[in-house]
Amino acid sequence: MLSIPGDDPRTPDVQVGPVDLAARVNEALDVQALAFGLSRDEIDVRRHIVLRHLMYPGSRALGATTASGRLVGFVYGLPNDRGHWWSTVVEPYLRRTGSDGWLDHSFVITELHVHPEFQARGIGRALITTLTDSAAEPRSILSAIDIESPARRLYRALGYEDLARQVLFPSAPRPYAVMGAPLPLRRPAPGDGGEPSGGDR
């Protein structure tokens, strides 16, 4: 368990550690809805997606919780499989850049979200580095909205580089970038990067 102290006496400390995400999926999706801007219909769709992902072999999740037990951030991921939906979408884009080999022997970060009130405190960084530190795979991949954002800056600070850009997912209104990094992730100097405001599927 990793403890992240609050910024001031009014800001609660946060603990990062294992979480039963299937049991707390509604709380997690409430965080994602605020961080990522989702409608209730989109939340209902994502609930089924998250629960399905958590049944895949090797799927692991971490949560960021306050002392009162409030879930204020979460991350989950799994060993990548070329047969998974996400891989089938991104593979043609990665092939065009000669990067499709990243789909093998990689741990994919499926979702990473931090409640807006708790962003810019290093919680997102703690979640993703703690999760990937226990991965058996030598590298990690993820997708993020293809704009300059705190999330993209954080990922770059951790060693992720763009593998493909302007990746279009069905029904997604904005294009994504696929990023990859060797593991373990780089530990940035204090003040580098930012907090993710949203994740990928």
Side-chain angles (χ1 to χ4, degrees):
M1 191 76 71
L2 177 66
S3 181
I4 300 174
D7 301 293
D8 60 55
R10 297 166 298 172
T11 308
D13 294 352
V14 171
Q15 301 286 331
V16 170
V19 65
D20 184 349
L21 195 59
R24 305 188 69 171
V25 65
N26 290 332
E27 294 172 79
L29 288 172
D30 285 343
V31 171
Q32 184 173 356
L34 286 171
F36 207 57
L38 299 178
S39 69
R40 297 315 302 181
D41 288 343
E42 289 173 313
I43 290 173
D44 290 339
V45 170
R46 292 202 176 216
R47 181 177 297 105
H48 295 290
I49 293 171
V50 171
L51 293 175
R52 185 178 73 245
H53 285 164
L54 294 174
M55 295 176 66
Y56 289 158
S59 177
R60 300 195 312 281
L62 295 175
T65 55
T66 65
S68 65
R70 178 188 176 193
L71 187 71
V72 297
F74 72 96
V75 63
Y76 77 91
L78 61 152
N80 195 57
D81 185 319
R82 284 181 181 259
H84 291 165
W85 175 84
W86 183 85
S87 287
T88 64
V89 174
V90 304
E91 183 175 9
Y93 295 91
L94 294 175
R95 197 180 306 120
R96 287 175 208 155
T97 62
S99 304
D100 60 305
W102 278 83
L103 294 174
D104 301 315
H105 312 296
S106 289
F107 188 83
V108 60
I109 301 299
T110 311
E111 299 284 357
L112 170 60
H113 301 283
V114 176
H115 191 288
E117 293 178 7
F118 289 80
Q119 291 176 10
R121 288 178 51 186
I123 295 171
R125 180 183 294 119
L127 285 165
I128 192 172
T129 55
T130 304
L131 187 69
T132 55
D133 277 352
S134 61
E137 293 74 21
R139 53 194 178 182
S140 172
I141 52 177
L142 55 79
S143 56
I145 294 175
D146 194 5
I147 59 173
E148 288 308 307
S149 64
R152 293 288 296 284
R153 290 191 292 273
L154 171 64
Y155 299 145
R156 289 195 188 102
L158 294 172
Y160 286 92
E161 296 182 355
D162 290 346
L163 303 175
R165 299 190 62 184
Q166 296 296 296
V167 176
L168 300 175
F169 288 98
S171 77
R174 292 178 286 184
Y176 280 68
V178 177
M179 306 179 75
L183 294 180
L185 294 177
R186 182 189 307 149
R187 266 45 177 189
D192 286 352
E195 284 299 290
S197 56
D200 68 286
R201 292 199 232 306

